[in-house]
Amino acid sequence: MTSFKRVFSRHAIAALALGCTTLASAAELRIGFVNTDRIFKEAATAKAAQSKLEQEFSRREREVEGLGTQLKSASEKLEKDAPTLSDSQRGARQRQLVELDREFQRKRREFQEDLAQRKNEELQLVLERANRVIKQVAESEKYDLIMQEAVYVNPKLDITDKVLSGLNNAK
């Protein structure tokens, strides 16, 4: 039992020494944080991407909105005219309304899917550029670790402004 205590004691001391060494090394570790939400909102490249998407999808958005307005007015007209229509006329108008609703739902879904896909593509390009700038900042300022996601970050570790500046100055 005595040799077990000695061996255990030696390992405990070694672990404690290793822990102290690790803590000392951690004190020298240089860490930074980048807020990607701010990058996506404030970077000139992100704003340009948003503008590009708005321009690219504005016509389709107006078409979908127009179809929605057409559907609403057709529905209101059917409600208003329903008492004076024959059963066959009312049935035909309801079928037309159902068909118009299907077309509206399909076009709206396609529009939303296409917009989401293009938005992801554009944001990916912004993120790739931001990551290049982050790497440049990390290398030039000798950071050991740059994080983009965290539950809590001390504001003194936040280098988002440096990254935004680098992104906005890069052409």
Side-chain angles (χ1 to χ4, degrees), residues 63-78 92-109:
E63 286 176 9
V64 170
E65 288 172 354
L67 201 53
T69 302
Q70 184 182 351
L71 177 63
K72 183 180 177 187
S73 87
S75 176
E76 290 170 353
K77 184 166 175 38
L78 176 62
R93 296 266 278 298
Q94 285 173 334
R95 283 188 297 280
Q96 288 173 341
L97 197 58
V98 166
E99 188 57 39
L100 187 58
D101 183 54
R102 273 193 205 125
E103 182 182 355
F104 170 70
Q105 297 298 333
R106 180 184 56 79
K107 285 193 176 207
R108 184 175 65 177
R109 184 184 64 250

Side-chain angles (χ1 to χ4, degrees), residues 28-34 134 137-139 141-149 157 159:
E28 298 169 16
L29 189 66
R30 186 136 190 240
I31 298 173
F33 171 76
V34 176
I134 291 167
V137 169
E139 290 172 352
E141 297 188 21
K142 310 254 187 283
Y143 280 92
D144 297 302
L145 175 69
I146 306 277
M147 299 175 61
Q148 291 180 319
E149 296 288 329
L157 299 177
I159 63 166

Side-chain angles (χ1 to χ4, degrees), residues 118-132:
R118 284 288 295 123
K119 187 175 183 178
N120 286 338
E121 290 169 0
E122 290 295 327
L123 288 178
Q124 185 62 37
L125 292 174
V126 171
L127 187 60
E128 287 172 8
R129 289 181 182 155
N131 285 340
R132 283 195 297 271

